[in-house]
């Protein structure tokens, strides 16, 4: 499938909506917790088992983003968006079949494996194209797409809850909801496939200063530095802390206030998930912009240090104050989104822009690890505590203590980041060579 070339007079402002149509769709992954209680009830699952499709989807997202970037660059955005559409929608259709036949392994295969590939390819598909169209404002352009991914659950969470209420929360109702998701997202993502264009050959897109100023480090050289692995730990710990709440958000807030005079309904829990999505989305723009003012290391001190304090506040006082619980969770999720948006700039500061896309792609394996680690910690411990006869907020005390410890580990790793030693620097390529390298490198976000 040849990349579609923009005709004369084509407005570059049509490309961000194309990117948004994909990212808002695949951002549904952040609303998975809405399906957890119905699946557990209909199929007899525990919390750990119902988290498996989401965990596998995040693993496949990181792996396909890290290793599929070259294919995305080689075949163009329309090919990548089409692959994302087919995989993501097919994942829902397989999941619908699994729910209808009560074969949970089909839901894991569909949503987790097949849909997860769609997540990863869809996540990186529009980014390099946006950079080519907006060389003067690449942060703004890619930020629009990344914000869309963070805000996908803002739409999907109440929509999913309404479908489950209309169709029923038994296996048949869940299957119908999955089916509607798969077909609807296919149509919505198709808009992006049809709309996306690449700039015409020879179009003057390098209007700003050279992006290859200052020390540069290759992708191969970067993974050999302690700075890369410190940032890998920083990203992994920050994502683990955020995703631990996000994946179990709906049942978690229900559990916390189940034994109080103000219990949380399923509809209100879905609304809480939507609020978390809004915080995730706002953090991607707000905190990353703040990092331009106070520096990357300082902003990660906020993410990790204040994040640990927010977890401590929930653990100590969360079940006695609903506003405190919600506020602390929103702050943690804003740090989660901000961490994703800030890490490319942190990489650029340390390694230059020569192969920052490829370096970023490799760093996203930290997301895959966190996608398993966060839900596993929260769900496994909650299941064990429930078996021991505990209930309510006591299901989460130990897991929150672990999250605080992990954030402290990330804080220390951030403190250890220093400028890269000159022995890892590479000569800056000539302008033509630099342009060739940029075309060949995966630009993930």
């Amino acid at each position: 499938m040849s990349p579609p070339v923009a005709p004369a007079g084509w407005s570059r402002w049509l490309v961000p909506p194309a990117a948004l149509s994909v990212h808002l769709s695949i951002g549904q992954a952040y609303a998975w917790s809405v399906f957890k209680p119905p699946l557990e009830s209909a199929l007899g699952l525990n919390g750990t088992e119902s988290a498996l499709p989401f965990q596998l989807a995040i693993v496949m997202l990181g792996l396909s983003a890290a290793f599929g970037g070259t294919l995305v660059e080689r075949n163009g955005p329309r090919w990548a968006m089409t692959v994302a559409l087919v995989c993501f929608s097919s994942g829902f259709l397989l999941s619908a079949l699994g729910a209808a036949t009560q074969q949970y392994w089909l839901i894991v295969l569909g949503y987790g494996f097949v849909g997860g590939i769609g997540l990863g390819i869809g996540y990186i598909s529009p980014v390099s194209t946006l950079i080519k169209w907006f060389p003067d404002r690449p942060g703004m352009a890619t930020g629009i797409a990344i914000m869309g991914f963070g805000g996908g659950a803002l739409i999907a969470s109440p929509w999913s809850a309404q479908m489950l209420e209309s169709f029923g929360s038994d296996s048949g109702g869940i299957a119908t909801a999955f089916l509607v998701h798969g077909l609807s997202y296919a149509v919505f993502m198709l808009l992006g496939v049809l709309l996306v264009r690449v700039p015409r050959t020879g179009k003057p897109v390098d209007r700003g200063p050279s992006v290859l100023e200052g020390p540069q480090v290759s992708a191969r050289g970067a993974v050999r530095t302690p700075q890369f692995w410190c940032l890998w730990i920083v990203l992994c710990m920050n994502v683990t802390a955020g995703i631990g709440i996000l994946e179990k958000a709906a049942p978690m807030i229900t559990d916390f206030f189940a034994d109080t005079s103000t219990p949380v309904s399923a509809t209100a829990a879905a609304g809480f998930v939507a609020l978390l999505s809004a915080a995730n989305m706002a953090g991607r723009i707000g905190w990353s912009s703040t990092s331009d003012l106070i520096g990357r290391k300082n902003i990660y001190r906020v993410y990790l240090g204040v994040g640990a304090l927010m977890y401590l506040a929930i653990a100590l006082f969360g079940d006695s104050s609903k506003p405190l619980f919600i506020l602390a969770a929103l702050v943690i999720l804003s740090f989660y989104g901000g961490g994703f948006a800030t890490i490319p700039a942190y990489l650029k500061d340390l390694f230059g822009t020569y192969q920052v896309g490829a370096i970023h792609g490799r760093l996203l394996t930290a997301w895959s690890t966190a996608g398993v680690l966060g839900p596993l910690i929260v769900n496994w411990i909650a299941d064990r505590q429930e078996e021991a006869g505990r209930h309510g907020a006591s299901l989460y005390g130990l897991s929150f203590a672990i999250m605080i410890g992990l954030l402290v580990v990330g804080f220390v790793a951030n403190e250890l980041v220093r400028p890269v030693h000159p022995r890892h620097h590479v000569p800056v390529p000539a302008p033509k060579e630099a342009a060739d390298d940029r075309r060949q490198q995966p630009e993930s976000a």
Side-chain angles (χ1 to χ4, degrees):
M1 184 180 295
S2 301
V5 179
W10 181 267
S11 173
R12 64 177 181 169
W13 292 102
L14 294 174
V15 181
L20 271 175
S21 72
V22 173
H23 273 237
L24 281 172
S25 298
I26 62 177
Q28 183 280 333
Y30 286 145
W32 176 253
S33 65
V34 175
F35 285 102
K36 281 174 64 68
L39 282 170
E40 291 168 14
S41 176
L43 302 181
L45 307 173
N46 59 34
T48 303
E49 292 167 339
S50 66
L52 188 56
F54 176 82
Q55 288 176 288
L56 182 56
I58 297 301
V59 169
M60 295 310 300
L61 186 159
L63 293 178
S64 56
F67 298 109
T70 302
L71 288 174
V72 171
E73 288 294 302
R74 181 182 304 145
N75 296 306
R78 176 167 288 180
W79 174 89
M81 289 181 178
T82 302
V83 171
L85 183 160
V86 172
C87 290
F88 189 65
S89 296
S90 297
F92 269 113
L93 299 182
L94 278 173
S95 297
L97 179 62
T101 58
Q102 298 192 5
Q103 297 293 316
Y104 186 58
W105 68 271
L106 272 175
I107 299 177
V108 176
L109 174 66
Y111 191 92
F113 184 79
V114 178
I117 294 173
L119 285 178
I121 299 300
Y123 190 79
I124 63 175
S125 61
V127 176
S128 64
T129 303
L130 285 165
I131 289 174
K132 292 170 185 175
W133 277 110
F134 293 88
D136 51 334
R137 284 179 276 185
M140 177 215 69
T142 56
I144 291 173
I146 294 173
M147 182 182 67
F149 186 84
L154 197 61
I155 300 170
S157 180
W159 183 41
S160 300
Q162 182 59 50
M163 277 195 286
L164 290 170
E165 185 176 332
S166 301
F167 302 142
S169 56
D170 58 358
S171 59
I174 296 170
T176 305
F178 282 153
L179 178 63
V180 173
H181 273 79
L183 297 178
S184 299
Y185 283 132
V187 173
F188 194 57
M189 293 172 76
L190 183 61
L191 296 176
V193 172
L194 297 176
L195 196 60
V196 72
R197 297 289 189 277
V198 296
R200 286 172 293 149
T201 303
K203 183 170 181 173
V205 293
D206 290 320
R207 296 189 292 275
S210 170
V211 296
L212 292 177
E213 295 176 349
Q216 306 294 323
V217 182
S218 68
R220 179 176 296 183
V223 298
R224 297 174 179 174
T225 66
Q227 288 84 355
F228 176 89
W229 294 106
C230 282
L231 288 189
W232 193 97
I233 293 171
V234 166
L235 182 63
C236 185
M237 299 301 101
N238 191 60
V239 174
T240 298
I243 214 166
I245 285 182
L246 189 59
E247 185 274 336
K248 200 175 174 65
M252 182 182 292
I253 192 171
T254 302
D255 289 337
F256 255 81
F257 298 98
D259 299 329
T260 69
S261 59
T262 56
V264 177
S265 66
T267 302
F272 174 63
V273 175
L275 279 177
L276 292 181
S277 179
N280 180 5
M281 180 172 59
R284 292 170 186 246
I285 296 295
W287 292 121
S288 60
S289 299
T290 304
S291 76
D292 292 331
L293 301 175
I294 68 174
R296 318 306 172 197
K297 178 174 282 192
N298 285 333
I299 199 66
Y300 272 97
R301 285 168 173 155
V302 174
Y303 296 158
L304 300 160
V306 177
L309 294 177
M310 292 297 101
Y311 256 113
L312 182 62
I314 294 176
L316 294 178
F317 311 111
D319 60 342
S320 61
S321 173
K322 194 177 295 183
L324 174 63
F325 178 94
I326 294 172
L327 177 62
L330 291 176
V331 171
I332 291 170
L333 262 294
S334 75
F335 292 161
Y336 170 83
F340 278 120
T342 308
I343 202 68
Y346 210 161
L347 292 171
K348 179 188 71 67
D349 293 347
L350 289 171
F351 303 112
T353 55
Y354 170 44
Q355 292 187 340
V356 69
I359 297 169
H360 189 195
R362 286 159 171 78
L363 197 76
L364 287 180
T365 55
W367 191 358
S368 295
T369 303
V372 174
L373 194 59
L376 182 63
I377 291 171
V378 174
N379 287 287
W380 187 85
I381 292 176
D383 289 342
R384 301 292 81 76
Q385 298 284 47
E386 189 171 9
E387 290 173 1
R390 295 182 175 87
H391 52 85
S394 61
L395 297 174
Y396 303 98
L398 178 57
S399 60
F400 281 11
I402 293 173
M403 292 297 183
I404 293 170
L406 293 178
L407 286 168
V408 170
V409 170
F411 190 94
V412 173
N414 183 54
E415 294 301 307
L416 296 176
V417 174
R418 298 288 185 273
V420 176
H421 194 278
R423 70 173 178 272
H424 296 290
H425 296 171
V426 297
V428 177
K432 182 178 185 304
E433 293 172 332
D436 292 340
D437 282 332
R438 286 199 301 276
R439 284 193 293 271
Q440 295 171 6
Q441 292 303 323
E443 297 283 359
S444 53

